[in-house]
């Protein structure tokens, strides 16, 4: 008996094909939906906030971005400094005394500048260590955002460079030369930001709020400031603190002769700018910067970074490099120069090194 064959009508064939297409559609649409969901979860929403660089320990930070936000922080802090001074609402009070017994002043300008600078930097790079001259009160916390834009002059001169977030320490001075600020000696006042990597200063920003001049530099990167064309090594003009000009003058004239000019000035940032080619009519010029007493690192880190980037030097009076980790103070005084024989200067000034430890 021959086997019976199964024959489908044309209508049955059509139904069978439609069922097959339905199964394929169901399977494929499920696959597409899964891929779409994965894509949406893995990509940030268009226009949504980006995750800040260096937002977690172990992350990396881009030094070019850090330079850009450091410049912005110095300028924003400077706006507060200028506004308070011009409004004559300093509310100056003593916050303590220096090791030499001089009274240290604190003003509203210090506090408002510090708040603006600290929270701008912290918001942009949450995992980075920030050291500031003034204490940050959490009750005064504010949100200061950065749109992550980089100025064209920085883009043109600086290439992106990432370093581990844990290797970075930021030092900010929200108002350098507070004493002079209270005396309305505005030319000495600066706001400063410094970035140190493994203790070495690599980014420096020095901003003058009352003239809107800003100097910045990055080691092995670039800068918007340069050294002057010449310096006098035989009878240098030496810029020093207003409070101890006499100590330096006596030893300097014994070393370089009676023609040596001593320039008393306020503010460490101002003194570093005095060594450079700064197009400011009220900026004095000097060949060497000397400080013979204890000084805080937020006062000198930015200037140190700028000088290093330009091929200059800032050391203790004994010629030791200054590390920007650990304690916030530098015990050994300092000597700063550029385009001069720095080692020879140190050897000529042995008596000053002894003075710094008194």
């Amino acid at each position: 008996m021959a086997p019976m064959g199964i024959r489908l009508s044309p209508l049955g064939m059509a139904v069978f094909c439609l069922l097959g297409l339905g199964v394929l559609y169901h399977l494929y649409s499920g696959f597409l939906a899964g891929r779409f969901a994965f894509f949406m979860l893995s990509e940030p929403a268009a226009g949504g906030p980006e995750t800040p660089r260096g937002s977690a320990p172990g992350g990396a930070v881009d030094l070019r971005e850090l330079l850009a936000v450091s410049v912005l922080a110095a300028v924003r802090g400077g706006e507060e400094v200028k506004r308070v001074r011009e409004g004559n609402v300093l509310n100056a009070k003593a916050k303590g005394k220096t090791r030499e017994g001089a009274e240290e002043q604190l003003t509203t300008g210090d506090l408002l500048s510090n708040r603006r600078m600290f929270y701008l930097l912290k918001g942009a790079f949450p995992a980075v260590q920030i050291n500031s001259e003034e204490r940050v009160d959490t009750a005064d916390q504010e949100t200061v955002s950065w749109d992550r834009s980089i100025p064209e002059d920085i883009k043109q001169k600086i290439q992106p460079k990432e370093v581990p977030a844990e290797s970075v320490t930021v030092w900010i001075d929200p108002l350098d030369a507070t004493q002079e600020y209270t005396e309305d000696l505005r030319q000495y006042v600066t706001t400063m930001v410094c970035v140190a990597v493994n203790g070495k200063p690599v980014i420096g920003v020095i901003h003058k709020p009352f003239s809107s001049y800003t100097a910045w530099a990055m080691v092995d990167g670039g800068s918007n400031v340069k050294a002057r064309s010449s310096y006098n090594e035989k009878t240098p003009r030496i810029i020093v603190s207003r409070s101890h000009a006499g100590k330096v003058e006596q030893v300097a004239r014994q070393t370089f002769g009676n023609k040596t000019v001593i320039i008393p000035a306020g503010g460490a940032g101002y003194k570093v700018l005095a060594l450079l080619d700064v197009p400011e009519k009220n900026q004095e010029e000097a060949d060497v910067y000397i400080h013979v007493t204890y000084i805080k690192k937020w006062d000198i880190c930015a200037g140190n970074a700028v000088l290093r980037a330009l091929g200059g030097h800032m050391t203790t009076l004994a010629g030791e490099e200054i590390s920007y980790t650990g304690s916030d103070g530098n015990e050994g005084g300092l000597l700063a120069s550029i385009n001069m024989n720095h080692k020879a200067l140190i050897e000529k000034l042995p008596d000053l090194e002894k003075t710094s430890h008194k």
Side-chain angles (χ1 to χ4, degrees):
M1 182 173 178
M4 295 181 65
I6 298 174
R7 300 182 63 185
L8 293 177
S9 67
L11 178 61
M13 288 290 291
V15 170
F16 180 78
C17 290
L18 286 173
L19 286 172
L21 288 173
V23 170
L24 289 174
Y25 173 78
H26 178 74
L27 291 173
Y28 190 63
S29 63
F31 171 78
L32 285 178
R35 295 298 298 170
F36 181 73
F38 175 80
F39 175 78
M40 292 301 292
L41 288 172
S42 62
E43 292 291 322
E50 294 183 27
T51 302
R53 301 289 181 93
S55 60
V61 297
D62 180 4
L63 290 180
R64 184 171 74 166
E65 289 189 348
L66 198 42
L67 168 59
V69 75
S70 294
V71 170
L72 181 61
V75 171
R76 291 279 179 85
E79 291 169 355
E80 297 296 322
V81 168
K82 184 178 180 182
R83 181 174 62 83
V84 169
R85 177 67 265 184
E86 292 184 342
N88 199 28
V89 287
L90 276 67
N91 297 319
K93 59 182 179 181
K95 68 174 181 179
K97 291 189 175 182
T98 66
R99 289 189 178 185
E100 293 76 43
E103 199 171 75
E104 285 191 293
Q105 296 286 315
L106 178 68
T107 70
T108 301
D110 293 91
L111 297 175
L112 294 180
S113 174
N114 183 67
R115 186 172 70 184
R116 182 60 56 90
M117 293 174 72
F118 179 88
Y119 285 114
L120 177 56
L121 287 158
K122 199 65 177 175
F125 294 95
V128 167
Q129 173 68 35
I130 301 176
N131 296 336
S132 174
E133 179 174 7
E134 308 304 338
R135 186 173 63 87
V136 178
D137 192 339
T138 53
D140 293 330
Q141 183 172 348
E142 65 175 77
T143 301
V144 186
S145 61
W146 176 47
D147 62 5
R148 311 203 81 79
S149 64
I150 299 175
E152 283 302 316
D153 60 339
I154 293 178
K155 277 185 180 179
Q156 291 171 7
K157 296 180 179 180
I158 307 294
Q159 295 299 313
K161 181 179 180 180
E162 289 195 341
V163 297
E166 62 268 21
S167 70
V168 175
T169 306
V170 177
W171 297 83
I172 62 177
D173 192 340
L175 202 170
D176 189 37
T178 299
Q179 180 62 45
E180 287 74 20
Y181 182 65
T182 63
E183 297 173 20
D184 209 16
L185 299 173
R186 304 182 182 195
Q187 71 271 25
Y188 297 128
V189 175
T190 62
T191 56
M192 297 188 286
V193 181
C194 175
V195 176
V197 177
N198 295 320
K200 295 183 178 181
V202 298
I203 290 174
V205 180
I206 305 174
H207 175 68
K208 300 181 79 171
F210 296 102
S211 66
S212 298
Y213 174 78
T214 306
W216 59 260
M218 177 173 156
V219 175
D220 297 329
S223 69
N224 72 340
V225 64
K226 61 183 180 180
R228 297 200 310 272
S229 59
S230 64
Y231 295 85
N232 188 340
E233 292 195 54
K234 292 185 178 179
T235 54
R237 293 163 294 179
I238 301 175
I239 194 162
V240 300
S241 173
R242 294 168 70 215
S243 61
H244 58 258
K247 292 181 182 179
V248 180
E249 183 174 3
Q250 182 179 358
V251 177
R253 288 195 168 149
Q254 289 173 355
T255 304
F256 299 108
N258 291 330
K259 291 185 179 180
T260 301
V261 175
I262 303 297
I263 305 171
Y270 177 89
K271 296 184 188 84
V272 168
L273 292 179
L275 305 182
L276 305 176
D277 185 8
V278 175
E280 292 269 305
K281 62 181 181 180
N282 61 354
Q283 175 67 62
E284 297 166 284
E285 291 186 353
D287 302 303
V288 179
Y289 167 26
I290 293 175
H291 189 87
V292 298
T293 59
Y294 176 84
I295 191 168
K296 293 300 182 88
K297 290 178 181 177
W298 43 68
D299 289 321
I300 59 176
C301 186
N304 197 339
V306 170
L307 288 173
R308 281 190 71 219
L310 299 177
H313 303 274
M314 180 183 286
T315 65
T316 66
L317 293 171
E320 300 164 343
E321 296 294 332
I322 301 167
S323 175
Y324 293 92
T325 56
S327 70
D328 61 13
N330 172 52
E331 298 276 358
L334 69 85
L335 177 66
S337 69
I338 185 168
N339 291 351
M340 296 179 72
N341 189 332
H342 193 79
K343 185 177 180 181
L345 287 171
I346 292 167
E347 292 171 351
K348 287 179 180 179
L349 297 170
D351 291 337
L352 282 179
E353 197 275 328
K354 295 174 185 175
T355 303
S356 70
H357 295 292
K358 290 182 179 178

